[in-house]
Amino acid sequence: MASLSEIGVAATINILSALAFLVAFALLRIQPFNDRVYFPKWYLKGLRCSPLHSGAFVSRFVNLDFRAYLRFLNWMPAALQMPELELIDHAGLDSVVYLRIYLTGLKIFVPITIIAFSVMVPVNWTNGTLKHSNLTYTDIDLLSISNIPPASPSTDDRHIVSDELSRNSWMHTTAHKSNAACLVLYICMQSWNSSKNRFWTHLVMAYTFTFWTCYVLKKEYESVSSMRLHFLASERRRPDQFTVLVRNVPPDPDESVSELVEHFFKVNHPDHYLIHQVVYNASKLASLVSEKKKMQNWLDYYQLKYSIHQSIKPYTKTGFLGLWGKKVDAIEYYSSEIERLSKEISIERNEIRDNPNDVMPAAFVSFKTRWGAAVCAQTQQSRNPTLWLTEWAPEPRDVYWDNLAIPYVSLSIRRLIIAVAFFFLTFFFMIPIAFVQSLANIEGIEKAAPFLKPIVEIKAIKSIIQGFLPGIALKIFLIFLPAILMMMSKFEGFVSLSALERRSATRYYVFIFINVFLGSIITGTAFQQLNNFMHQSANDIPRTIGVSIPMKATFFITYIMVDGWAGIAAEVLRLKPLIIYHLKNFFFVKTEKDREEAMEPGSICFNTGEPQIQLYFLLGLVYAVITPILLPFMVVFFGLAYVVYRHQIINVYNQEYESAAAFWPDVHGRIVTALVVSQLLLMGLLSTKHAAQSTPLLFTLPILTVSFHLFCKGRYEPAFVRYPLQEAMMKDTLERVREPNLNLKSYLQNAYIHPVFKARDEDENDAISQVEEECVTVPTKRQSRRNTPAPSLSNASTSPFLPNGSEHAL
């Protein structure tokens, strides 16, 4: 375990790293050649132009205004200036509610930290249990509940009281008084050192922290649900408001899927049914379209190259990436490849349309009103509850088209396979976690393996290994996990990006809880107290575990500093996108379109970001009563992350979809889970301390917490899973008054057609590109610029929130 000095070394390293990242970002963001990396969102909105196209040659790449370097940290206050309502209009409700998770952390932990350091730390510090034990500990552990002696009197406790009495100078003055006075004084000292009295403090604080956390959660749930309903009521018209996804359409030998869907909804929803689009299995066609798009990009490049140097005819090789193979004329070769692919695309498109086997038993059904869509999406359609299954359709940007081709009957089998695979992935990951924990507990291993002592006792090596390496090693182990979990979610068959990310986030949280939290505690305790386990009776092992678990706070402190301090500062630097953009710009950018596509703004990545935040909630709530020294590190994380991600949402991230904060019930549920885990863990610790009087009172806390969760679930969650008919009718009525001549059928007719079927024979590639920009899962950059009016820069620069210097593919 890391000592106070080693934690100081780790803090110094991470603070310096975070400052280096922030200073580097502040300097790089004002350089013109990095403008597309640090302000891509304003380019997508058409409110910013590249500074590389104007001014002197040097000033195009390097900022020569020295006054800008004096204001290089002004991005921090600027990130906090945009009001919440304007931020919703600018970035969407999902982004704003995601920021509220960090605000919730601050609202919960700032008061808890103040109370814990005012009450808990003095109570834990004024004991001598660890000093008179054989356990491995540090100065930080003296501030934890481990330093409180057990409630049952023991030989060690009597030694503690005796030592305390002997160390008090005023004890000498009572030596010549009566035996009765000495007895009274001894009883008073024993009462002060009684753990029963001190455990009552932990019990009261547990209730206080629980009630405060529940109060904040209720207020946030109420606020977010109100924001969601207001957002849906005031939002502009979208196709998904009128559309439901129908799955498991029963086969009929006399009718096609399209005819069957039309007849069913005309009969059962005669006053509201408008139009439908069946779902095709077009995976092969989509791959051909993607390949043709790449060929067209190469053709544009060689044509541009030849137009500049007409005396030099461009050549290429037909092998991989043009590195080997037959040398041919580049323009003729790519023209012929595009022509070949165009024919294959046309043939494949016709085959899909004519082949009934390529039509899936699913369809997007649109209605004349939001009210009609809400009734259909939220009711059972047939006598057999497994047929004609309806749900709200994702918005067109949110549709994951590949999974629409998966037969509905295979989804249960797929999810069973993934559940088994996830189980083995989770528990086999314990092996590297155990190795990481062995690095975090070198002092404990020294007792079992003394031959390592000369190496690890070198002060510099020991400080770096224990204070920095465990956290960074665990961070590296977790880098590849999100991609694996996202692949699992896609295999399960979810039909929207938002559903994919929410399922992946759930699994990521379970994984982190089992491996990072429980795994670190269990394996860390075993390594840390290995020598004690080997030389003590079996009856004393539970007590050793109860004392040792709070000591794992030192490891989690190092992890918070690595991931929550330096990691967050690295996020704003965007080092990986910065390098990739300039590499693409130097080697691969051939046209202006390529330059736009090289500017990857990224998104919040809810599937990884939210579970990581939940780990901090878990650590903070668990250790608030047990080891309060961890809390200030948590507060720094939530404060820094809020500022950084607010800046990124304003200037960088382009959210792929809008779910209107549909993920908030998951956030609320995981925080409540962390609260229950903290209560159960505290009960376990007090039971090892023999605190028989205070432990039973903790049993009511989980019951009250679960009851609170059920109340919030019944009161607020319906706003996130259902759409009130009252709201739908109100919005329909207002729309009819404002736009009496609206042609809704024309608006919805092509909204949910598979992108590869929107192409036209003339200029097919441009049409396909337009389809990919407008209708597939993720909107393209050109779509964003096309749908957003581009005011002049002179007008745009007057906005107080415009930064200084101012695709979705299938």
Side-chain angles (χ1 to χ4, degrees):
M1 80 195 78
S3 64
L4 188 60
S5 62
E6 290 158 356
I7 291 294
V9 171
T12 302
I13 293 175
N14 285 284
I15 289 173
L16 292 177
S17 301
L19 289 177
F21 289 141
L22 294 176
V23 172
F25 160 71
L27 296 177
L28 290 174
R29 68 185 284 271
I30 62 177
Q31 307 307 321
F33 65 95
N34 294 327
D35 206 58
R36 287 182 180 269
V37 178
Y38 292 115
F39 301 102
K41 191 160 192 170
W42 297 100
Y43 281 90
L44 298 177
K45 285 180 171 289
L47 300 176
R48 196 176 181 95
C49 292
S50 175
L52 300 181
H53 299 315
S54 61
F57 179 79
V58 177
S59 62
R60 293 181 186 180
F61 296 92
V62 180
N63 192 336
L64 301 179
D65 183 7
F66 292 100
R67 291 174 298 179
Y69 292 92
L70 300 178
R71 304 189 303 269
F72 69 98
L73 290 179
N74 65 347
W75 66 271
M76 289 188 174
L80 302 174
Q81 290 178 1
M82 183 177 286
E84 190 173 73
L85 292 178
E86 186 172 346
L87 187 57
I88 292 175
D89 185 63
H90 174 72
L93 185 63
D94 280 346
S95 299
V96 173
V97 173
Y98 183 82
L99 289 175
R100 289 187 75 95
I101 303 177
Y102 294 104
L103 276 181
T104 302
L106 289 174
K107 291 177 182 178
I108 290 175
F109 289 111
V110 169
I112 286 179
T113 302
I114 296 173
I115 296 174
F117 270 75
S118 301
V119 179
M120 302 300 301
V121 171
V123 170
N124 293 335
W125 177 262
T126 55
N127 281 278
T129 301
L130 292 177
K131 293 180 180 179
H132 297 85
S133 68
N134 295 324
L135 297 173
T136 305
Y137 71 94
T138 65
D139 292 339
I140 292 179
D141 300 320
L142 298 177
L143 303 176
S144 72
I145 198 173
S146 299
N147 202 34
I148 303 294
S152 299
S154 64
T155 305
D156 291 340
D157 299 335
R158 289 191 293 270
H159 285 315
I160 293 170
V161 175
S162 178
D163 291 342
E164 291 292 337
L165 290 172
S166 63
R167 277 195 294 267
N168 287 283
S169 59
W170 46 264
M171 183 65 187
H172 178 73
T173 63
T174 64
H176 303 292
K177 299 189 176 183
S178 64
N179 293 334
C182 292
L183 181 60
V184 170
L185 183 58
Y186 177 80
I187 292 174
C188 291
M189 283 300 302
Q190 193 173 30
S191 175
W192 170 251
N193 285 277
S194 171
S195 61
K196 293 181 181 179
N197 295 338
R198 301 207 169 194
F199 283 135
W200 281 109
T201 305
H202 297 80
L203 178 66
V204 172
M205 289 297 102
Y207 271 88
T208 302
F209 296 163
T210 297
F211 289 155
W212 172 250
T213 302
C214 291
Y215 173 78
V216 173
L217 288 178
K218 180 184 178 299
K219 288 294 184 181
E220 288 299 309
Y221 214 149
E222 182 179 5
S223 177
V224 172
S225 62
S226 176
M227 291 170 62
R228 173 180 167 86
L229 292 175
H230 183 269
F231 178 81
L232 293 175
S234 61
E235 191 180 24
R236 294 186 298 271
R237 182 171 52 251
R238 291 193 327 190
D240 55 290
Q241 298 171 349
F242 301 87
T243 308
V244 299
L245 174 61
V246 183
R247 307 186 75 176
N248 218 23
V249 177
D252 192 316
D254 300 325
E255 290 185 319
S256 66
V257 173
S258 180
E259 293 172 339
L260 190 60
V261 170
E262 182 178 9
H263 291 169
F264 180 86
F265 283 95
K266 278 186 175 180
V267 170
N268 295 284
H269 299 268
D271 298 328
H272 301 283
Y273 168 76
L274 181 63
I275 196 173
H276 75 277
Q277 297 294 340
V278 294
V279 175
Y280 293 93
N281 184 0
S283 300
K284 181 180 178 181
L285 181 58
S287 64
L288 290 174
V289 171
S290 178
E291 185 179 357
K292 182 183 175 182
K293 183 179 177 182
K294 294 178 182 178
M295 293 296 178
Q296 183 66 45
N297 208 27
W298 279 108
L299 178 61
D300 292 343
Y301 166 67
Y302 284 113
Q303 287 177 338
L304 179 63
K305 185 177 181 180
Y306 182 64
S307 66
I308 297 175
H309 303 286
Q310 296 186 2
S311 59
I312 304 175
K313 203 168 186 179
Y315 288 90
T316 187
K317 294 181 179 180
T318 59
F320 179 72
L321 293 179
L323 299 177
W324 58 73
K326 183 180 178 181
K327 189 174 182 180
V328 296
D329 183 286
I331 296 178
E332 292 181 359
Y333 171 73
Y334 285 110
S335 297
S336 63
E337 287 295 303
I338 291 173
E339 185 178 357
R340 176 185 63 83
L341 289 171
S342 297
K343 293 179 181 179
E344 292 184 12
I345 289 172
S346 180
I347 294 172
E348 180 67 20
R349 187 187 299 114
N350 292 332
E351 287 181 355
I352 292 175
R353 285 172 173 168
D354 299 335
N355 187 359
N357 294 327
D358 287 328
V359 180
M360 306 306 300
F364 290 100
V365 181
S366 298
F367 295 82
K368 298 176 183 178
T369 62
R370 296 173 180 83
W371 189 91
V375 171
C376 181
Q378 299 166 179
T379 55
Q380 182 175 318
Q381 302 302 311
S382 69
R383 184 179 303 173
N384 187 343
T386 64
L387 300 177
W388 296 101
L389 303 179
T390 56
E391 59 183 284
W392 279 109
E395 64 165 321
R397 292 183 305 166
D398 195 18
V399 177
Y400 188 70
W401 293 99
D402 292 349
N403 282 356
L404 287 174
I406 299 175
Y408 187 81
V409 293
S410 68
L411 295 181
S412 299
I413 299 175
R414 285 170 172 259
R415 291 174 185 178
L416 177 61
I417 294 173
I418 291 301
V420 175
F422 179 68
F423 173 83
F424 284 103
L425 174 67
T426 301
F427 287 95
F428 275 103
F429 203 82
M430 281 285 189
I431 298 174
I433 291 292
F435 173 73
V436 169
Q437 288 305 312
S438 68
L439 296 178
N441 298 285
I442 290 179
E443 292 180 354
I445 289 181
E446 285 179 357
K447 297 181 179 180
F451 60 90
L452 296 176
K453 188 173 183 178
I455 299 176
V456 299
E457 281 298 324
I458 299 175
K459 187 174 181 180
I461 296 178
K462 184 177 179 180
S463 297
I464 293 176
I465 290 177
Q466 291 193 305
F468 183 74
L469 188 59
I472 195 66
L474 183 58
K475 181 70 174 176
I476 292 173
F477 276 129
L478 295 175
I479 286 178
F480 302 103
L481 180 63
I484 298 173
L485 297 179
M486 182 58 73
M487 290 173 57
M488 288 182 170
S489 298
K490 290 179 179 178
F491 182 80
E492 283 187 283
F494 292 98
V495 296
S496 66
L497 286 177
S498 56
L500 286 171
E501 290 201 346
R502 288 200 298 271
R503 174 53 66 94
S504 182
T506 299
R507 288 211 169 93
Y508 196 23
Y509 176 73
V510 172
F511 186 93
I512 289 178
F513 176 77
I514 293 176
N515 283 283
V516 178
F517 182 71
L518 294 182
S520 296
I521 287 178
I522 295 171
T523 58
T525 299
F527 279 106
Q528 182 175 310
Q529 305 299 344
L530 183 60
N531 185 64
N532 289 319
F533 287 161
M534 296 172 60
H535 296 91
Q536 68 183 191
S537 65
N539 295 332
D540 293 332
I541 291 179
R543 177 182 173 185
T544 303
I545 294 177
V547 174
S548 301
I549 288 177
M551 297 181 183
K552 288 309 300 169
T554 55
F555 166 74
F556 288 121
I557 287 174
T558 62
Y559 178 78
I560 291 171
M561 288 188 293
V562 171
D563 182 70
W565 293 8
I568 292 297
E571 173 67 25
V572 75
L573 180 59
R574 304 196 78 220
L575 186 59
K576 180 181 175 181
L578 178 68
I579 295 174
I580 291 177
Y581 171 77
H582 286 299
L583 288 176
K584 285 183 177 180
N585 201 34
F586 186 79
F587 291 105
F588 302 108
V589 168
K590 302 175 285 294
T591 63
E592 187 62 26
K593 177 184 175 183
D594 290 341
R595 184 168 287 105
E596 289 185 2
E597 292 181 350
M599 179 187 66
E600 181 55 49
S603 59
I604 289 177
C605 294
F606 177 82
N607 61 309
T608 58
E610 193 269 344
Q612 290 175 335
I613 303 174
Q614 294 299 331
L615 175 62
Y616 291 97
F617 277 102
L618 177 65
L619 295 177
L621 293 173
V622 166
Y623 284 99
V625 177
I626 297 173
T627 311
I629 191 64
L630 180 139
L631 293 174
F633 297 90
M634 301 282 304
V635 172
V636 172
F637 159 74
F638 281 112
L640 178 63
Y642 177 73
V643 175
V644 166
Y645 279 102
R646 209 174 199 276
H647 172 274
Q648 299 296 83
I649 285 172
I650 292 174
N651 298 301
V652 180
Y653 296 150
N654 184 42
Q655 201 61 16
E656 297 180 344
Y657 58 85
E658 178 60 61
S659 69
F663 56 82
W664 187 260
D666 295 334
V667 174
H668 176 89
R670 287 167 194 151
I671 297 177
V672 171
T673 301
L675 197 57
V676 173
V677 169
S678 69
Q679 296 159 359
L680 296 177
L681 181 57
L682 183 60
M683 280 193 291
L685 287 174
L686 293 183
S687 65
T688 63
K689 297 280 191 176
H690 308 293
Q693 293 183 355
S694 56
T695 303
L697 294 178
L698 284 174
F699 281 107
T700 59
L701 268 184
I703 298 174
L704 293 175
T705 305
V706 172
S707 300
F708 162 77
H709 174 64
L710 294 177
F711 164 78
C712 291
K713 185 179 180 68
R715 173 62 180 86
Y716 302 114
E717 188 172 335
F720 294 85
V721 296
R722 292 191 291 271
Y723 188 51
L725 296 180
Q726 181 184 18
E727 297 286 336
M729 180 61 74
M730 185 184 305
K731 197 166 180 63
D732 288 333
T733 304
L734 289 174
E735 188 173 72
R736 283 194 295 268
V737 173
R738 294 172 180 173
E739 301 179 72
N741 298 322
L742 173 66
N743 187 352
L744 191 61
K745 185 174 182 179
S746 176
Y747 173 74
L748 298 172
Q749 189 168 11
N750 296 325
Y752 286 98
I753 293 179
H754 198 291
V756 294
F757 293 106
K758 287 189 175 181
R760 296 290 182 264
D761 292 335
E762 64 275 10
D763 197 8
E764 188 179 55
N765 182 78
D766 290 340
I768 292 175
S769 300
Q770 182 180 3
V771 168
E772 291 176 344
E773 293 164 6
E774 293 179 350
C775 304
V776 288
T777 312
V778 184
T780 59
K781 302 169 178 60
R782 288 190 294 173
Q783 175 200 8
S784 300
R785 298 184 67 174
R786 186 168 57 248
N787 293 342
T788 305
S792 63
L793 285 180
S794 59
N795 294 335
S797 62
T798 60
S799 173
F801 304 108
L802 188 63
N804 295 332
S806 342
E807 130 171 294
H808 288 292
L810 182 64

